[in-house]
Amino acid sequence: MKYIAIDLGLKRIGLAYSAHKDLVTPLPAIIRKNRNQASDEVKKVLKEWEVDSVVIGIPLGGSSEDEMRRRIEHFMNLVDFKGEIFYQDEAGSSLEAENMMKGEIKYVRDGRIDSISAMIILQRYLLSIKKR
């Protein structure tokens, strides 16, 4: 199984890849100019990496869960991905990603933190299916 995790943000979209249950690699983030450009770029990445499944971070249980789920579903319709889509709780993943970054780089908004956040989301998902 090949997975891509998506940390969907309004400015940046973090991405991470895994073809092996124990190894997750952050990919370059997509800087979002508009929804069509962003969905086209995500579509290209999914094709390039020949992905079977997408794992998307979502704030589970919060007041914004329904709204976020609706936005994510709309975005993934634009991406037109035919594989399986899984949702994974993203609570605290951005903070965890920032804590992993050291020094000045932590404050650079180039998408690295977003992709590390996607990496954390995918690691959590892979851990959850390993426990099943």
Side-chain angles (χ1 to χ4, degrees):
M1 268 302 236
K2 295 180 188 172
Y3 296 94
I4 288 242
I6 299 175
D7 182 24
L8 195 59
L10 295 174
K11 293 188 170 84
R12 292 170 300 278
I13 299 170
L15 300 168
Y17 173 79
S18 179
H20 184 273
K21 284 190 173 75
D22 299 314
L23 186 66
V24 179
T25 308
L27 299 175
I30 292 168
I31 306 302
R32 188 174 180 156
K33 296 172 186 80
N34 62 59
R35 113 179 63 161
N36 292 333
Q37 159 268 340
S39 60
D40 284 346
E41 286 190 43
V42 169
K43 191 186 300 188
K44 280 182 199 142
V45 170
L46 297 179
K47 237 181 219 140
E48 180 186 337
W49 291 89
E50 300 172 346
V51 174
D52 304 301
S53 301
V54 169
V55 177
I56 300 182
I58 189 165
L60 292 179
S63 56
S64 64
E65 181 183 343
D66 290 342
E67 173 65 16
M68 285 305 295
R69 199 175 285 268
R70 194 186 59 71
R71 284 186 189 176
I72 288 167
E73 284 168 2
H74 177 71
F75 183 80
M76 289 311 290
N77 281 337
L78 293 174
V79 171
D80 193 30
F81 178 66
K82 299 298 181 216
E84 284 190 278
I85 297 174
F86 301 100
Y87 294 98
Q88 175 63 43
D89 191 5
E90 66 175 14
S93 60
S94 295
L95 192 62
E96 207 176 311
E98 282 187 30
N99 289 336
M100 289 171 85
M101 303 287 280
K102 299 287 181 247
E104 294 299 310
I105 215 163
K106 189 177 189 168
Y107 304 102
V108 178
R109 296 288 176 235
D110 62 358
R112 274 183 277 200
I113 285 177
D114 305 271
S115 288
I116 288 175
S117 185
M119 178 186 82
I120 292 165
I121 289 164
L122 188 48
Q123 286 170 336
R124 287 178 186 174
Y125 175 77
L126 293 172
L127 193 62
S128 77
I129 60 173
K130 209 186 276 187
K131 288 179 180 174
R132 285 183 203 151

